[in-house]
């Protein structure tokens, strides 16, 4: 049994690149014809990890079900970023308990970021004995072995420190059109509110040669878009002495001729001029940047450990807009950080008014055990924080709508990814600027990049019709 220790997570582990066995090595017929239920919480990193988990489960002959009660193997891939993410998972575990009572042949496995938290693992050990397997973010590749070895006795295998970079990991991708590609794991920034450096470990970049190899094979398979994934993509390569910068990597990915490239997430501190130039130069790098600001108050930014001031952010913002005029910029904002005053909050509203973001994800600060901010004094009531969030949302939604209205009666290029969820007679996709568009167009446009004439603009999506050639 290996359990997580959050204090150890601050230590850097000597890192190696390990190549997993391509043919998925471990074989068993124990699960053939049985069903699995996989629930994913959280960010794109988790969504992509679930593609790996799905590959392992299906290599055992397990078939996916959307109905929890039908499953013989249940895997919860969890998120730890805020308390409400925890609550949802514990709610699901309650349902698993009833299921285990009613039916013998069920294995419950808990993975993802919550498994990397010491306090969660302790709780699972004490109060959730029916959870059979706990695995972490650094040893997803152990899941097949843990499933085979399962005897019904709780088994916790979570690494405290991050370990190695694994190559040749199998993926069962959700889409045949757009693909996630990890370029790095973990984060070295240690923003004071954030649990990610503890649950995902220190930054480890993949070798650029491996990344390019993966993108080239996606191009051969016909993929139209890759999204390069990392907690802080701009810092790519900084942990490897002889590796290229993120700007150079973007350039190399662009030269594979994949039709579209996106990347998330960017930290303003590591965003270089070289990067802006590369994005501006290559037409297959999409003009969309997610650039979290978190707060507009320099006092709060300092307490958050963000390493920039609002003036520096504004400078970067203006530089991007001047060199890439059609770029859309979205952001993340936290309200109610410990001891945020009305004055601090008003500075956040000011920066939103200044940048007029094309979109913003807004959150109430949630204390995470083990992070420095969790012990900072905080005298603002939850009621006040909720009130601030409402005021902020009103403002950001107003700018999202305005941003969308710019496309009224314009033509945008959309990569069509599927049938619209809202209206099955329409197809759906994203424009280059990352605008969600519902389109009147035939089904055979799925997988293609088409010109779309915009006929209506809402706060969070656009409507349009295919433009006849
Ligand atoms: N509380 C609230 N929001 C948080 N985020 C990260 N940690 C916390 C926290 N403890 C937000 C940040 C980050 C986004 C992914 O989640 O805005 O950019
Ligand atoms: Fe968390 Fe992002 Fe800060 Fe890293 S850069 S600690 S992932 S908020």
């Amino acid at each position: 049994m290996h359990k997580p220790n959050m204090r150890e997570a601050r230590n850097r582990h000597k890192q190696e690149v390990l190549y997993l066995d391509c043919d998925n090595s471990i074989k068993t017929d124990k699960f053939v014809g049985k069903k699995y239920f996989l629930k994913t919480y959280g960010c794109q990193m988790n969504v992509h990890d679930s593609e790996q988990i799905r590959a392992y489960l299906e290599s055992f002959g397990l078939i996916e079900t959307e109905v929890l009660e039908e499953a013989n193997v249940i895997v919860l891939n969890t998120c730890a970023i805020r308390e409400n993410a925890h609550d949802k998972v514990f709610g699901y575990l309650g349902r698993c308990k009833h299921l285990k009572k009613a039916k013998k042949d069920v294995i419950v496995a808990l993975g993802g970021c919550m498994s990397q938290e010491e306090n969660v693992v302790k709780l699972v050990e004490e109060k959730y004995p029916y959870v059979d397997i706990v695995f972490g973010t650094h040893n997803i590749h152990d899941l097949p072995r843990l499933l085979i070895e399962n005897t019904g006795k709780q088994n916790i295998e979570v690494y405290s420190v991050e370990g190695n970079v694994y190559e040749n990991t199998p993926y069962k991708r959700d889409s045949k059109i757009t693909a996630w590609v990890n370029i790095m794991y973990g984060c070295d920034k240690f923003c004071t509110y954030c649990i990610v450096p503890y649950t995902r470990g220190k930054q480890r970049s993949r070798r650029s040669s491996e990344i390019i190899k993966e993108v080239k094979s996606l191009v051969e398979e016909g993929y139209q878009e890759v999204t390069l994934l990392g907690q802080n993509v701009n810092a790519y390569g900084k942990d490897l002495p002889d590796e290229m910068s993120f700007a150079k990597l973007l350039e190399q990915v662009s030269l594979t001729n994949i039709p579209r490239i996106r990347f998330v997430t960017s930290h303003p501190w590591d965003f270089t001029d070289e990067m802006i130039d590369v994005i501006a130069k290559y037409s297959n790098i999409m003009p969309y940047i997610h650039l979290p600001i978190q707060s507009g108050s320099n006092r709060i930014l300092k307490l958050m450990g963000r390493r920039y001031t609002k003036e520096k952010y504004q400078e970067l913002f203006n530089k991007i807009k001047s060199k890439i005029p059609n770029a859309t910029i979205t952001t993340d904002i936290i309200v109610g950080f410990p001891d945020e005053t009305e004055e601090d909050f008003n500075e956040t509203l000011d920066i939103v008014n200044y940048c007029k973001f094309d979109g913003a994800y807004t959150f109430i600060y949630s204390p995470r055990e083990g992070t420095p901010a969790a012990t900072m004094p905080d005298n603002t009531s939850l009621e006040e924080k909720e009130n601030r969030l409402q005021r902020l949302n009103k403002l950001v939604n107003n700018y999202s709508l305005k941003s969308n209205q710019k496309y009224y009666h314009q033509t945008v290029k959309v990569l069509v990814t599927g049938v619209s969820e809202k209206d099955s007679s329409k197809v759906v996709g994203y424009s280059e600027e990352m605008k969600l568009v519902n389109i009147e167009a035939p089904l055979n446009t799925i997988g293609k990049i088409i010109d779309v004439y915009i006929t209506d603009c809402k706060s969070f999506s656009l409507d349009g019709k295919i433009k006849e050639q």
Side-chain angles (χ1 to χ4, degrees):
M1 185 177 286
H2 303 285
K3 287 193 271 172
N5 175 326
M6 286 181 67
R7 214 167 314 155
E8 275 178 29
R10 272 188 172 266
N11 301 331
R12 179 170 276 290
H13 182 257
K14 192 172 171 307
Q15 180 205 320
E16 277 178 70
V17 181
L18 291 188
Y19 291 83
L20 296 175
D21 219 345
C22 273
D23 70 351
N24 226 336
S25 62
I26 308 181
K27 301 266 184 282
T28 176
D29 51 15
K30 186 171 156 183
F31 298 104
V32 174
K34 294 191 177 176
K35 293 191 175 166
Y36 76 89
F37 176 90
L38 172 61
K39 179 92 184 156
T40 310
Y41 301 86
C43 65
Q44 293 98 330
M45 197 66 81
N46 268 20
V47 171
H48 189 37
D49 284 350
S50 278
E51 293 183 327
Q52 188 184 346
I53 292 171
R54 190 170 275 119
Y56 290 132
L57 298 174
E58 296 194 5
S59 76
F60 282 173
L62 280 155
I63 301 158
E64 184 159 22
T65 173
E66 311 246 308
V67 184
L68 181 82
E69 287 68 23
E70 281 180 9
N72 306 98
V73 174
I74 297 168
V75 183
L76 303 182
N77 188 8
T78 63
C79 168
I81 199 104
R82 284 171 290 274
E83 194 58 34
N84 57 1
H86 271 199
D87 297 344
K88 285 187 206 154
V89 171
F90 284 119
Y92 245 94
L93 284 181
R95 284 177 67 190
C96 294
K97 180 178 181 181
H98 294 301
L99 194 61
K100 289 253 338 185
K101 266 196 188 149
K103 176 170 157 184
K104 281 266 164 312
D105 186 16
V106 188
I107 300 176
V108 178
L110 189 78
C113 288
M114 275 172 71
S115 304
Q116 295 291 149
E117 289 183 278
E118 234 175 311
N119 54 339
V120 169
V121 168
K122 199 156 164 264
L123 193 68
V124 169
E125 241 182 327
E126 287 168 3
K127 301 240 166 82
Y128 297 84
Y130 52 88
V131 172
D132 301 284
I133 296 167
V134 183
F135 65 105
T137 55
H138 309 306
N139 66 331
I140 299 173
H141 58 275
D142 282 332
L143 181 62
R145 179 180 55 76
L146 292 169
L147 284 169
I148 290 177
E149 287 176 3
N150 173 62
T151 57
K153 194 167 159 269
Q154 189 171 75
N155 189 5
I156 299 171
E157 279 208 28
V158 181
Y159 302 170
S160 290
V161 285
E162 60 274 3
N164 301 305
V165 168
Y166 294 93
E167 292 299 345
N168 290 346
T169 36
Y171 291 109
K172 166 95 193 317
R173 296 186 190 270
D174 294 340
S175 163
K176 299 239 171 292
I177 303 165
T178 61
W180 308 108
V181 174
N182 276 126
I183 64 164
M184 66 210 290
Y185 305 94
C187 180
D188 278 349
K189 283 286 176 288
F190 285 96
C191 301
T192 57
Y193 52 81
C194 186
I195 197 141
V196 168
Y198 306 89
T199 57
R200 292 265 167 193
K202 290 257 191 163
Q203 176 174 320
R204 287 103 61 214
S205 300
R206 281 178 75 193
R207 301 298 187 271
S208 52
S209 52
E210 296 292 342
I211 297 167
I212 301 299
K213 199 166 92 186
E214 185 174 343
V215 176
K216 279 186 177 160
S217 78
L218 290 166
V219 173
E220 269 168 31
E221 286 175 54
Y223 277 86
Q224 298 294 307
E225 180 178 294
V226 291
T227 301
L228 308 179
L229 272 185
Q231 304 295 345
N232 174 14
V233 288
N234 322 62
Y236 171 79
K238 289 190 175 176
D239 52 309
L240 297 174
D242 50 359
E243 196 44 274
M244 58 178 73
S245 66
F246 181 59
K248 290 262 166 9
L249 178 73
L250 258 185
E251 191 161 34
Q252 291 304 310
V253 175
S254 170
L255 296 174
T256 65
N257 286 330
I258 182 99
R260 284 184 165 197
I261 302 157
R262 300 188 185 278
F263 51 92
V264 277
T265 286
S266 300
H267 188 298
W269 197 76
D270 295 293
F271 213 105
T272 60
D273 289 1
E274 193 192 5
M275 255 188 81
I276 302 176
D277 292 339
V278 169
I279 301 166
K281 181 171 169 192
Y282 293 96
S283 61
N284 60 348
I285 305 177
M286 295 298 100
Y288 164 67
I289 296 162
H290 184 61
L291 195 65
I293 184 162
Q294 312 298 1
S295 169
S297 151
N298 285 341
R299 191 180 76 86
I300 297 293
L301 285 171
K302 192 148 192 229
L303 287 173
M304 286 177 162
R306 289 293 287 178
R307 310 178 191 203
Y308 55 82
T309 58
K310 78 168 174 210
E311 291 79 12
K312 276 270 167 228
Y313 186 95
Q314 283 170 328
E315 198 185 302
L316 174 63
F317 183 92
N318 290 333
K319 218 185 296 176
I320 296 171
K321 286 278 178 182
S322 72
K323 290 200 174 169
I324 319 169
N326 63 334
T328 45
I329 301 184
T330 57
T331 200
D332 288 345
I333 300 171
I334 298 176
V335 300
F337 186 80
D339 246 5
E340 180 192 67
T341 62
E342 184 63 20
E343 220 170 35
D344 294 316
F345 175 66
N346 279 328
E347 289 192 67
T348 296
L349 296 181
D350 288 347
I351 195 104
V352 171
N353 280 318
Y354 180 91
C355 295
K356 303 180 174 51
F357 291 109
D358 296 284
Y361 299 91
T362 58
F363 313 99
I364 291 186
Y365 167 70
S366 171
R368 311 313 300 135
E369 203 174 315
T371 62
T375 55
M376 291 180 188
D378 187 2
N379 295 314
T380 315
S381 68
L382 182 61
E383 202 186 353
E384 179 54 37
K385 293 182 183 194
E386 281 168 349
N387 176 279
R388 284 181 195 164
L389 184 71
Q390 268 184 20
R391 283 149 66 200
L392 177 65
N393 283 345
K394 209 169 151 203
L395 191 66
V396 299
N397 292 346
N398 181 27
Y399 284 120
S400 302
L401 179 62
K402 282 199 174 133
S403 159
N404 283 352
Q405 283 169 340
K406 282 188 233 154
Y407 299 96
Y408 188 63
H409 284 185
Q410 302 288 312
T411 300
V412 294
K413 288 203 177 303
V414 178
L415 170 58
V416 182
T417 50
V419 174
S420 165
E421 270 178 29
K422 285 201 180 141
D423 179 349
S424 59
S425 71
K426 291 184 172 176
V427 293
V428 72
Y430 282 91
S431 74
E432 297 191 322
E433 306 81 4
M434 199 64 182
K435 299 288 182 187
L436 180 65
V437 193
N438 289 296
I439 315 155
E440 280 173 40
L443 286 181
N444 66 7
T445 56
I446 294 175
K448 297 192 180 121
I449 295 173
I450 59 168
D451 283 334
V452 177
Y453 183 71
I454 300 302
T455 52
D456 195 13
C457 310
K458 307 183 171 121
S459 282
F460 305 109
S461 65
L462 302 172
D463 287 340
K465 56 185 181 193
I466 185 167
K467 202 166 165 188
E468 304 304 337
Q469 302 301 317

